[in-house]
Amino acid sequence: MKRTQLAAAVLLATGSVSAFAATYSVTPLPLQDSARSNFGRSIDEAGQMLTIAQLEYNPPIDVDQLIDGTVFFETFGPSLEDEDSAREGVFTDSDYSTIVSYIISNQTFPQIQKLTQFRTYFTDTVDAELVPGLDEITDKFDDYTQSVRVSGRDSLSGNYIVGDSGGLVVLDPYENADGDIINYTYPESSQQAFVQVSGETKVLPPVDDTLGGFGSARAINNNLQVAGFSTVSFQTAVDDAVGRCDDDEERGDISVDRCLFNLYTGEFTAPRVSTYFLTTQNTTVPAFVSLSEVNATIWQLDVNGDVIDTQTYPLVEEPAEDNTFYLYTYAFDINEQGIAVGESLTGDFVAITRPNSSARAESERVATVFRDGETIELLPRDENIISQAIGINDNNWVTGAVLPPSDTASRSRLFVYNLETEEKVYPEGFFTSGGVTPNAINNNNIVVGSADVTATNETQRQTTAFMYNIETEELIDLNDLVSCDNTYELVEAVDINENNEIIANARLRTTSKYITGVEILDSAGETNAVDSIVAVKLSPLSNGTIDDCEVPEDEQPYERQAASTGLLALGGMLLAGLFRRRVKR
């Protein structure tokens, strides 16, 4: 149901909206006809945006590999609409969807074609251009292989794009001891940090590139400093494993490179404060990264995108000598002064009670600043259980999230901190126990992100996109600043530039489609309505006025406790961690 603007109308009438008085227009990014969903990542000062397309329509299919490397046709062939045509590479809409689903669901099969669910596009509101990362155009498809997961993170005036990319998937024919040819398929490296300049992708090398190493680039400033993180050392167990792969007796009946792939394989997710994290588990990092130390890294580029200097930042405190857990510092953002922010593990554990769970030990994480060669802890530990810095602007305001102490369940809470004055604020959410997750901050001292709008006991609550003004201490639901007839329910504000333009993720009611993009019809010839998430651009209207919309009875707002805006606007939807949220200065 469409949300209403009553809360914003009241604020406008009382004169308390201040910098937010301009309303916003909503424009979808041009990817809805290309993929089932797309998620916003960043918006730069030129208004250019990065977005992630999920499950693009009509991906390339290698039928020969499907036949020779899997048992798909033996298992599912009889249930296809037209098996004979499918074996020739001619698919019905339904069969195409079945095949793609099978390939994506079985990516760990050693001989199966690799297809990624996520690729990045660089876009305005009219055109979209692929950011290929380490993918390449091949003769087989006469196009990119669509096998490489690419996450664009930030851009600079459209000229420099930084992010991280999986390695190019290679075909490795191997003759085993029985004389059979096995066509192994796997990426030739783990996740790599990259910069794209003039259409060319360049790897930002990690300090320790054992097995190719590991890295991620998260933000770039006007001085061409790129902030992120990379491997700086590995435990001896990794070298020992590499030695076994090189040994014909110990390796087993597989190729050397396939053996090495078994060491560096795995997906990576940088955990948010709202996400459970324990260094003794490998659920968020590839196996070989769990045997490494990863440090916040700043790569200095020249105008061609080549690295001319690399600086890394150690843990906030020296770990015990016998500590063999995975330890890291991550940098998520950097301002024009070259000050980066992020988080560090301490090597200790803390007890955290999360929603609908009992207390359990998690790795202690603290918000950190990286400047002048030092890793500096930002907030007092006695005020929060764990903390994480997400963004910094050129006024040296830092924003991020904390888990405050709680007698019940801890939920993410916003903080802002000024490096010069040491002023810190922990703004309330839309209600007393409402979680708030910031994503970005601009030089107008406006923070954007997502916030709970339903006071339920559920682990995942419905969320809305918000903006918070540090100067006025106002927390505003962005759904209250768009027209009443807007069909996009804003669930998360992802990034904001200096023009107060925002890229956001929105829920949209659409129709279910095959992987070809053709609508699915039921037996009665009717379409099936489903929710999807799409990226939209919010543009401020200098002469706009906030609509005083009629409020349906079941959406009547109620007074919230200890909240800055005084009213709770109901509605929204939780966008649960499919992506690490982007940060912007």
Side-chain angles (χ1 to χ4, degrees), residues 180-395:
D180 299 323
I181 300 298
I182 301 175
N183 290 310
Y184 289 120
T185 56
Y186 50 82
E188 59 185 358
S189 72
S190 184
Q191 176 181 297
Q192 302 290 303
F194 75 85
V195 60
Q196 178 178 302
V197 185
S198 301
E200 181 183 0
T201 300
K202 299 184 178 184
V203 171
L204 303 178
V207 174
D208 189 326
D209 62 356
T210 300
L211 287 173
F214 163 87
S216 177
R218 297 293 171 129
I220 184 170
N221 65 16
N222 284 308
N223 300 314
L224 301 184
Q225 293 173 300
V226 178
F229 40 92
S230 68
T231 46
V232 297
S233 66
F234 286 90
Q235 296 179 29
T236 57
V238 175
D239 290 330
D240 294 342
V242 171
R244 288 192 293 272
C245 283
D246 289 333
D247 190 303
D248 293 341
E249 297 295 326
E250 295 192 47
R251 182 176 65 251
D253 197 8
I254 59 174
S255 68
V256 174
D257 289 338
R258 171 68 194 189
C259 179
L260 294 175
F261 162 76
N262 290 339
L263 304 181
Y264 62 73
T265 183
E267 295 286 345
F268 174 84
T269 303
R272 294 299 295 264
V273 160
S274 57
T275 304
Y276 175 80
F277 181 74
L278 189 62
T279 58
T280 56
Q281 294 179 336
N282 296 333
T283 55
T284 60
V285 295
F288 89 126
V289 174
S290 70
L291 296 173
S292 76
E293 182 174 326
V294 171
N295 281 178
T297 304
I298 297 178
W299 294 273
Q300 177 66 64
L301 309 182
D302 63 17
V303 293
N304 298 314
D306 295 319
V307 177
I308 57 177
D309 183 63
T310 301
Q311 184 172 22
T312 61
Y313 286 83
L315 297 165
V316 72
E317 55 190 42
E318 191 70 24
E321 289 186 8
D322 60 350
N323 191 331
T324 58
F325 295 141
Y326 168 56
L327 297 174
Y328 67 71
T329 51
Y330 293 159
F332 295 131
D333 199 14
I334 188 168
N335 67 8
E336 297 307 312
Q337 291 93 305
I339 304 172
V341 297
E343 67 175 339
S344 172
L345 290 184
T346 67
D348 294 328
F349 296 88
V350 290
I352 298 177
T353 302
R354 294 189 179 273
N356 293 329
S357 68
S358 56
R360 57 181 175 177
E362 295 189 28
S363 299
E364 185 176 47
R365 302 144 62 188
V366 295
T368 48
V369 175
F370 309 106
R371 66 187 303 182
D372 301 326
E374 293 186 85
T375 302
I376 305 167
E377 189 168 349
L378 193 62
L379 302 173
R381 292 190 197 180
D382 58 0
E383 292 183 359
N384 305 290
I385 308 173
I386 57 175
S387 60
Q388 179 183 60
I390 291 299
I392 182 171
N393 67 12
D394 296 338
N395 307 317

Side-chain angles (χ1 to χ4, degrees), residues 5-192:
Q5 278 71 35
L6 179 62
V10 172
L11 289 169
L12 182 64
T14 61
S16 61
V17 176
S18 68
F20 302 144
T23 57
Y24 277 84
S25 63
V26 180
T27 307
L29 303 192
L31 287 167
Q32 292 186 33
D33 294 332
S34 303
R36 287 184 178 173
S37 296
N38 67 94
F39 303 84
R41 263 294 165 77
S42 70
I43 182 168
D44 64 24
E45 302 318 310
Q48 302 294 312
M49 292 164 285
L50 292 172
T51 185
I52 307 292
Q54 180 185 21
L55 288 174
E56 292 176 73
Y57 298 135
N58 302 300
I61 301 298
D62 186 341
V63 178
D64 292 337
Q65 200 168 343
L66 188 67
I67 294 173
D68 297 335
T70 75
V71 294
F72 172 79
F73 283 107
E74 288 80 356
T75 305
F76 300 102
S79 62
L80 297 177
E81 291 182 342
D82 189 342
E83 179 181 356
D84 291 339
S85 294
R87 286 178 176 271
E88 297 297 324
V90 179
F91 314 118
T92 67
D93 294 327
S94 176
D95 290 350
Y96 203 160
S97 297
T98 299
I99 291 170
V100 171
S101 177
Y102 175 83
I103 292 174
I104 289 178
S105 300
N106 295 285
Q107 291 291 277
T108 58
F109 286 9
Q111 299 183 69
I112 201 168
Q113 177 187 359
K114 303 301 185 279
L115 277 177
T116 183
Q117 291 192 60
F118 306 105
R119 297 203 299 173
T120 296
Y121 283 84
F122 183 63
T123 179
D124 49 22
T125 56
V126 179
D127 300 310
E129 180 180 340
L130 179 70
V131 178
L134 298 179
D135 200 0
E136 294 181 1
I137 295 175
T138 63
D139 293 336
K140 179 181 288 292
F141 300 123
D142 194 26
D143 200 349
Y144 290 99
T145 67
Q146 205 162 322
S147 64
V148 179
R149 178 170 179 161
V150 180
S151 294
R153 305 284 182 175
D154 195 14
S155 60
L156 179 61
S157 301
N159 298 319
Y160 300 84
I161 297 171
V162 298
D164 46 71
S165 171
L168 177 67
V169 172
V170 295
L171 179 65
D172 178 16
Y174 172 74
E175 183 176 353
N176 65 16
D178 296 328
D180 299 323
I181 300 298
I182 301 175
N183 290 310
Y184 289 120
T185 56
Y186 50 82
E188 59 185 358
S189 72
S190 184
Q191 176 181 297
Q192 302 290 303

Side-chain angles (χ1 to χ4, degrees), residues 412-455:
S412 176
R413 184 173 176 180
L414 167 69
F415 80 82
V416 291
Y417 181 95
N418 189 280
L419 296 181
E420 307 305 323
T421 66
E422 298 185 355
E423 176 187 358
K424 64 177 181 293
V425 182
Y426 298 99
E428 291 278 358
F430 286 115
F431 50 94
T432 301
S433 66
V436 183
T437 302
N439 288 329
I441 184 172
N442 70 1
N443 286 334
N444 301 319
N445 295 340
I446 296 175
V447 179
V448 296
S450 65
D452 293 345
V453 288
T454 53

Side-chain angles (χ1 to χ4, degrees), residues 40-45 48-50 153-155 333 439-442 448-449 478 492-497 500-505 536 538 582-585:
R41 263 294 165 77
S42 70
I43 182 168
D44 64 24
E45 302 318 310
Q48 302 294 312
M49 292 164 285
L50 292 172
R153 305 284 182 175
D154 195 14
S155 60
D333 199 14
N439 288 329
I441 184 172
N442 70 1
V448 296
L478 284 169
E492 177 187 32
V494 181
D495 197 10
I496 182 170
N497 65 15
N500 291 342
E501 297 173 315
I502 297 169
I503 184 171
N505 292 324
V536 297
L538 306 182
R582 231 305 280 149
V583 181
K584 185 72 176 179
R585 296 155 309 282

